[in-house]
Amino acid sequence: MQVFSYLELYTTLIAWQLYGVIYDVIAQTGLILIPLAWAIIGIATQSVGEKRTDNHEIPIGQLKAVLQMVIVLFFCLIPIYQVSPSEINYQRSPTVGVPQIEVNAESDRSTYHNSIPTGNNAISIPAWWGLMHKFSTGITHAVIQSLPSHADLREARVQLTARNIEDADLAQDYREFLGMCYHPAKRNYQRLRLNEQIPPAPENAALDWAGSPYFITMPGGYAACTHSSHCQGAPHFLPPTLAARISTNGNTNETLEVTCADWWEIIRHRILEQAREDQSAWNAIFSSFTGTLSGLSGREREDLLVRNTLENFAVRDISTDQTRFFVEEGWSLNSAANQGADLLGALSGVGAWIKLEVVVSIMVQAIPIMVAILMLFLIVMIPFALLFTGYRIRAVVSLSFLLFTAIFVHALLAVAVWLDHTLTLSLFDNLSETGNFQQALNWLQGRGRFFGDWQKRMLVNIVLMVNCLIVPLVWFKTMHAVGLRAATGMGDAMAGGNLGSGQIMGQQAASVAGGSGRLARTSASRFAGPLGRAAGSATKKFRH
């Protein structure tokens, strides 16, 4: 039995367990036989005293309706098909860089497994609903598997936004690195450029963050000076005590020549190791980097993660005195101007974009949860629906359409996510072929300098919202109408047949298979007439 989310593993299992409880109640109390007994009593009382030439087709039509009720009772209500928790499987479709994962309700070790009691005993379900579930999930799974494999771009953005420096020692090292290496290297570059002693940095140098590749290789930056004019105000070699502390051997008696470039590689490695500890987040981020941003080198992909982590840390750490000191003492006027330009450029669209981005992200995660809960209530509703409608074929057809409609929503969501990925690539200058580090970073972080980028992101979010909200509503409405039409046609066909007076017999069969509430309201008129005629006929025969 296939499901499409971790939660659905357990809602499906619990739903059929509750189904079994409800069935036991109506079976042990005898309620399960009321519609069938009522139909048989109606046939018996209507047949007593009737002449063979008077409406003889009516009892035959009613017997046909009773036979239909028995079929529905046996195949659609009585649980006879055994399913164990190990047979309820969830298979997560593979994405670029992330392998396929398959678990079941017995072997899964997610949060739901720890909080929801399952047990290892097999559960019983009716044969028809087991067949319908397999049919519906088979079609849904086929649609999902037919979509091209793609990276989960939104999950990558969410994970990047959540990255931060968790180790206090690492955070302290980074603060010291800013004050002793990054800011002096940046001031030295600006001095050398002002004196026209070095050429301008290339466009992709990314001088606005501590891990700039230009500073790492620049003499007078993080690298050791090779020319005396470059050494004025440059970091050069670290102090011996600091070099011994950050080195691996920790020997203070040995003269160490550790540059800022060496120190940066240590900090960078520790940030990447911290990210690798969260394996799910690491897979989500790097599946996007390797699949979508395939034009970037391996180091550039890692630098995207490192830079985003450091910028998140700077935003959250901005209120500390030490960081405020580095901002006031180390940041240049040019850097402050760039930050101000970024802020002013984003203010016009950031508010609306953030709200829409959050709503859409929550919606994509909430839909599978809502479908899992909907399936639980739908399965629990089946025995009551069949009992109160007198085991009618129409009820079975309507519930079957509703079950298929709910399960197929997963395929609609998969199509919506794939369209979101494709539209993002088409609007943002084909990110799958980009080698521009800054462009990729701006896209992942939503830091576009122009309002056009905000418009594109809002357009993508609106399209995804429509696909996740409006399309499922239209799908439910359409399938509801189709299900009602199919149920009516099936009920009329099964009740009418090709016997004698078809219309009259169909009406009688439908009334026999009607709901128990309707039968109760019309019991007097249906029961008293035939019973009186039977009593009169018996009295005449007794007198003669």
Side-chain angles (χ1 to χ4, degrees):
M1 183 176 290
Q2 184 78 27
V3 297
F4 297 93
S5 68
Y6 280 112
L7 179 60
E8 199 171 344
L9 279 173
Y10 301 103
T11 55
T12 302
L13 183 66
I14 292 175
W16 287 115
Q17 289 175 342
L18 292 176
Y19 181 98
V21 172
I22 296 172
Y23 171 78
D24 290 340
V25 170
I26 64 176
Q28 293 175 10
T29 57
L31 294 175
I32 191 174
L33 298 176
I34 289 181
L36 193 61
W38 185 262
I40 295 175
I41 292 174
I43 294 174
T45 55
Q46 190 169 356
S47 300
V48 174
E50 293 286 346
K51 296 182 179 180
R52 297 184 61 85
T53 58
D54 296 339
N55 297 329
H56 187 61
E57 300 92 338
I58 295 178
I60 297 177
Q62 292 175 339
L63 287 174
K64 182 181 177 182
V66 171
L67 178 61
Q68 296 173 17
M69 296 171 66
V70 172
I71 293 175
V72 172
L73 180 65
F74 185 78
F75 288 102
C76 304
L77 184 62
I78 299 177
I80 58 175
Y81 178 64
Q82 298 290 322
V83 177
S84 65
S86 61
E87 295 179 62
I88 304 178
N89 301 311
Y90 165 57
Q91 185 181 87
R92 189 180 70 182
S93 300
T95 57
V96 176
V98 180
Q100 178 174 289
I101 296 178
E102 184 172 356
V103 295
N104 57 60
E106 185 176 6
S107 64
D108 177 50
R109 290 297 180 267
S110 66
T111 304
Y112 303 119
H113 183 277
N114 298 329
S115 59
I116 300 177
T118 57
N120 297 322
N121 297 327
I123 57 175
S124 299
I125 65 176
W128 172 255
W129 302 117
L131 177 63
M132 275 303 304
H133 193 279
K134 288 189 175 182
F135 170 78
S136 303
T137 55
I139 294 179
T140 304
H141 187 70
V143 172
I144 295 175
Q145 291 297 317
S146 66
L147 297 174
S149 181
H150 59 276
D152 193 343
L153 305 181
R154 290 184 178 271
E155 180 64 18
R157 285 202 296 265
V158 170
Q159 294 297 339
L160 281 175
T161 304
R163 294 295 91 199
N164 199 3
I165 298 178
E166 306 297 340
D167 186 356
D169 293 335
L170 177 58
Q172 181 63 26
D173 284 351
Y174 174 63
R175 295 189 189 105
E176 293 181 5
F177 179 85
L178 289 178
M180 299 186 66
C181 294
Y182 173 60
H183 297 311
K186 195 167 186 178
R187 286 195 297 266
N188 194 35
Y189 165 76
Q190 292 169 350
R191 178 184 62 82
L192 295 174
R193 277 296 303 133
L194 184 63
N195 297 332
E196 297 183 353
Q197 292 179 302
I198 58 173
E203 293 183 359
N204 59 350
L207 303 180
D208 56 341
W209 79 294
S212 170
Y214 184 83
F215 288 146
I216 293 175
T217 58
M218 171 189 168
Y222 297 168
C225 292
T226 57
H227 195 281
S228 59
S229 63
H230 292 180
C231 295
Q232 181 182 353
H236 203 52
F237 294 110
L238 300 180
T241 55
L242 178 60
R245 179 169 64 84
I246 66 175
S247 64
T248 56
N249 55 27
N251 187 358
T252 58
N253 296 323
E254 181 182 355
T255 302
L256 299 174
E257 292 185 347
V258 180
T259 64
C260 286
D262 299 327
W263 193 8
W264 168 251
E265 289 302 319
I266 295 174
I267 293 176
R268 181 179 180 276
H269 176 74
R270 292 173 65 185
I271 293 175
L272 291 174
E273 286 299 316
Q274 175 187 279
R276 286 192 182 95
E277 293 177 0
D278 188 352
Q279 193 62 44
S280 60
W282 178 269
N283 291 337
I285 294 171
F286 275 86
S287 66
S288 297
F289 293 174
T290 57
T292 303
L293 308 176
S294 56
L296 301 178
S297 65
R299 185 177 179 91
E300 285 179 326
R301 296 169 191 164
E302 293 178 346
D303 281 348
L304 282 172
L305 173 61
V306 173
R307 179 173 180 177
N308 198 86
T309 301
L310 295 178
E311 292 189 354
N312 290 339
F313 171 75
V315 170
R316 300 174 190 180
D317 200 48
I318 197 67
S319 60
T320 62
D321 293 336
Q322 192 167 11
T323 303
R324 186 159 51 245
F325 169 80
F326 287 129
V327 170
E328 294 173 355
E329 297 296 325
W331 280 12
S332 64
L333 181 61
N334 185 29
S335 176
N338 289 336
Q339 296 293 331
D342 287 342
L343 180 60
L344 293 176
L347 283 178
S348 58
V350 67
W353 172 79
I354 289 177
K355 292 179 182 179
L356 189 59
E357 187 87 3
V358 171
V359 169
V360 172
S361 299
I362 293 176
M363 185 182 303
V364 172
Q365 299 177 48
I367 288 178
I369 297 176
M370 292 188 294
V371 172
I373 296 175
L374 173 63
M375 288 291 297
L376 188 151
F377 287 103
L378 176 60
I379 293 172
V380 172
M381 183 180 65
I382 289 176
F384 295 112
L386 296 179
L387 177 65
F388 295 153
T389 56
Y391 310 139
R392 298 178 65 180
I393 292 293
R394 293 183 180 182
V396 174
V397 175
S398 297
L399 290 172
S400 300
F401 269 84
L402 185 57
L403 181 68
F404 171 75
T405 302
I407 293 176
F408 197 77
V409 169
H410 293 291
L412 299 180
L413 180 61
V415 173
V417 172
W418 173 75
L419 288 175
D420 175 66
H421 174 269
T422 306
L423 184 60
T424 299
L425 295 185
S426 63
L427 288 179
F428 285 90
D429 301 327
N430 200 0
L431 286 171
S432 60
E433 298 178 359
T434 184
N436 189 325
F437 177 88
Q438 190 63 41
Q439 178 187 354
L441 181 68
N442 289 341
W443 168 76
L444 283 170
Q445 295 182 316
R447 295 175 55 232
R449 292 173 180 267
F450 303 102
F451 186 68
D453 286 350
W454 297 109
Q455 286 179 317
K456 291 178 182 179
R457 297 180 78 92
M458 291 183 70
L459 174 61
V460 173
N461 288 329
I462 291 173
V463 172
L464 181 59
M465 179 180 291
V466 171
N467 288 334
C468 292
L469 245 162
I470 307 301
V471 172
L473 291 178
V474 174
W475 166 252
F476 268 99
K477 183 66 176 177
T478 303
M479 293 303 293
H480 174 69
V482 173
L484 289 180
R485 189 75 175 179
T488 302
M490 181 65 71
D492 292 342
M494 297 296 290
N498 296 317
L499 300 174
S501 53
Q503 184 177 3
I504 298 177
M505 188 170 55
Q507 294 175 354
Q508 293 294 332
S511 64
V512 171
S516 58
R518 181 180 174 187
L519 292 174
R521 290 194 302 268
T522 58
S523 59
S525 60
R526 289 176 179 268
F527 204 62
L531 187 60
R533 289 195 298 271
S537 178
T539 302
K540 284 184 180 181
K541 292 179 181 180
F542 178 76
R543 288 178 179 176
H544 291 287

